[in-house]
């Protein structure tokens, strides 16, 4: 499997691939791959002819107080894992290739404030503009393709779908289900930051979201009651600090109040400096256009 680091070379190779009629599957990542990432590569493998994964820890989406410097990295292990899941090419640019004058001098950014201001955006106000800007750059480099994103980052998936629609990127966005550890914890590169006690406590988030999702599936439409029950469950875990719990429309991310069909339950908690996010659809509920391949 080949790793390409230059934008120009990447464009040349992919133009050639497309000119012979092959479909491109694209999986953007920040590396330190786990089964969640590999599931996206496998989906791309089964749908398309050439699978490319980007591996780029994007400084633009980290705030000054966040973990850019310590974000876990293992490029060689990533290449082996990606290849075994069916990846053909890795695009791994250096920061100066993506931001030649430094990320501080990027003057053009892409943002979707209406969808980015809630939930993650409250704790990480500059995060989604950094994500959208780098994803827009990657889409401009990779060109027409099917792009695979995890539902694990549900708000991100909704925002990218919107960006692609609003700006007419020639990209089909596909959402893939969250891959979990056996105890329910959503897989994440950041789970390695958890100490053993925190790791043991961490599934409280997926348990709380399952509880809320099940209450909704059972017919509860009172948002305050569902949130209260979830808060109580998070509160029962002394190591966990609640960041937010929310029930939103699965497509527009507007608050679902009262709760209606096609909603999504999302949440974030903290263990000291480690922040975990997760989300769920009520079992048996309608699937939204954010989750399914509809582009
Ligand atoms: P990241 O490397 O964290 O930027 O993630 C790259 C892609 O993998 C994003 O589309 C994530 O939503 C997706 N992803 C991360 N964790 C999971 C998971 N547990 N299950 C499915 N997809 C995931």
């Amino acid at each position: 499997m080949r790793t390409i680091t230059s934008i120009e070379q990447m464009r040349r190779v992919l133009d050639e691939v497309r000119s012979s009629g092959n479909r491109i599957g694209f999986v953007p990542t920040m590396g330190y791959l786990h089964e969640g990432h590999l599931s996206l590569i496998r989906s791309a493998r089964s749908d398309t002819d050439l699978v490319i994964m980007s591996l780029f820890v994007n400084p633009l989406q980290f705030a000054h107080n966040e973990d850019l410097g310590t974000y876990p990295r293992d490029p060689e292990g990533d290449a082996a894992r990606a290849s075994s899941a069916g990846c053909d090419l890795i695009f791994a640019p250096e920061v100066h290739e993506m931001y030649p004058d430094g990320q501080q001098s990027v003057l053009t950014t892409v943002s979707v404030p209406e969808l980015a201001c809630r939930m993650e955006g409250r704790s990480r106000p500059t995060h989604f503009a950094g994500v959208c800007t780098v994803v827009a750059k990657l889409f401009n480099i990779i060109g027409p393709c099917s792009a695979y994103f995890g539902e694990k980052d549900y708000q991100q998936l909704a925002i990218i779908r919107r960006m692609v629609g609003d700006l007419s990127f020639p990209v089909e966005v596909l959402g893939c289900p969250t891959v979990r550890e056996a105890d329910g914890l959503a897989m994440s590169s950041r789970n390695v930051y958890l100490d053993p006690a925190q790791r043991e406590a961490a599934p409280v988030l997926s348990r709380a979201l399952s509880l809320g999702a099940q209450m909704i599936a059972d017919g509860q439409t009172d948002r305050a009651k569902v949130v209260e029950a979830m808060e109580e469950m998070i509160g029962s875990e002394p190591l966990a600090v609640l960041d937010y719990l929310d029930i939103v429309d699965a497509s527009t991310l507007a608050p679902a109040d009262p709760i209606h069909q096609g909603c999504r339950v999302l949440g974030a908690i903290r263990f000291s400096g480690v922040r975990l996010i997760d989300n769920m659809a009520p079992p048996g509920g309608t699937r939204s256009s954010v989750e399914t391949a509809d582009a």
Side-chain angles (χ1 to χ4, degrees):
M1 194 188 46
R2 227 168 128 193
T3 295
I4 290 176
T5 56
S6 120
I7 293 174
E8 198 194 318
Q9 196 186 358
M10 193 72 255
R11 286 202 172 113
R12 228 185 8 251
V13 168
L14 294 182
D15 282 349
E16 226 173 275
V17 168
R18 268 186 294 266
S19 70
S20 10
N22 290 309
R23 292 160 308 160
I24 290 168
F26 175 44
V27 179
T29 81
M30 297 204 299
Y32 211 69
L33 303 187
H34 50 66
E35 275 300 314
H37 298 108
L38 301 185
S39 74
L40 306 186
I41 294 175
R42 290 191 194 103
S43 294
R45 176 76 285 156
S46 73
D47 296 349
T48 65
D49 303 307
L50 181 122
V51 178
I52 167 152
M53 175 184 86
S54 62
L55 205 172
F56 181 62
V57 181
N58 172 38
L60 218 55
Q61 70 192 65
F62 289 78
H64 290 306
N65 59 342
E66 293 183 348
D67 56 344
L68 175 62
T70 55
Y71 195 82
R73 297 171 202 237
D74 177 17
E76 278 156 32
D78 285 346
R81 278 185 284 275
S83 168
S84 72
C87 181
D88 299 303
L89 263 180
I90 292 183
F91 177 53
E94 296 289 341
V95 172
H96 62 77
E97 179 72 1
M98 293 292 275
Y99 305 118
D101 302 317
Q103 75 264 19
Q104 296 84 353
S105 43
V106 173
L107 300 182
T108 308
T109 58
V110 182
S111 59
V112 189
E114 185 97 2
L115 300 187
C117 61
R118 298 168 55 77
M119 300 185 288
E120 287 303 288
R122 293 256 290 277
S123 295
R124 310 182 73 191
T126 57
H127 174 66
F128 285 122
V131 170
C132 286
T133 302
V134 80
V135 171
K137 279 175 77 80
L138 289 168
F139 285 169
N140 279 331
I141 295 163
I142 302 299
C145 65
S146 298
Y148 295 78
F149 291 86
E151 287 177 6
K152 155 76 174 28
D153 299 282
Y154 194 83
Q155 191 174 5
Q156 169 177 284
L157 172 59
I159 288 172
I160 286 169
R161 274 195 187 288
R162 188 68 195 214
M163 176 188 88
V164 162
D166 286 351
L167 300 183
S168 303
F169 280 96
V171 172
E172 177 191 33
V173 176
L174 294 115
C176 302
T178 302
V179 178
R180 299 178 179 280
E181 303 286 358
D183 60 7
L185 176 65
M187 289 191 183
S188 164
S189 306
R190 290 187 166 105
N191 289 350
V192 294
Y193 296 149
L194 296 167
D195 70 27
Q198 293 168 337
R199 172 63 190 83
E200 198 174 319
V204 72
L205 178 56
S206 60
R207 281 204 305 278
L209 296 173
S210 299
L211 170 70
Q214 190 58 54
M215 287 173 75
I216 294 168
D218 292 343
Q220 181 58 263
T221 54
D222 185 331
R223 176 191 166 85
K225 285 207 172 103
V226 178
V227 171
E228 191 184 306
M230 293 194 292
E231 278 176 0
E232 202 173 300
M233 183 167 282
I234 301 286
S236 71
E237 176 43 70
L239 293 178
V241 176
L242 180 62
D243 185 336
Y244 67 83
L245 290 164
D246 213 340
I247 305 162
V248 299
D249 181 274
S251 299
T252 64
L253 303 185
D257 195 8
I259 291 169
H260 53 73
Q261 279 280 319
C263 67
R264 194 94 186 177
V265 187
L266 296 91
I269 59 174
R270 281 203 172 80
F271 291 98
S272 314
V274 190
R275 192 159 170 284
L276 302 180
I277 62 170
D278 199 352
N279 68 88
M280 283 183 200
T286 52
R287 281 168 71 76
S288 79
S289 61
V290 175
E291 295 161 58
T292 49
D294 66 335

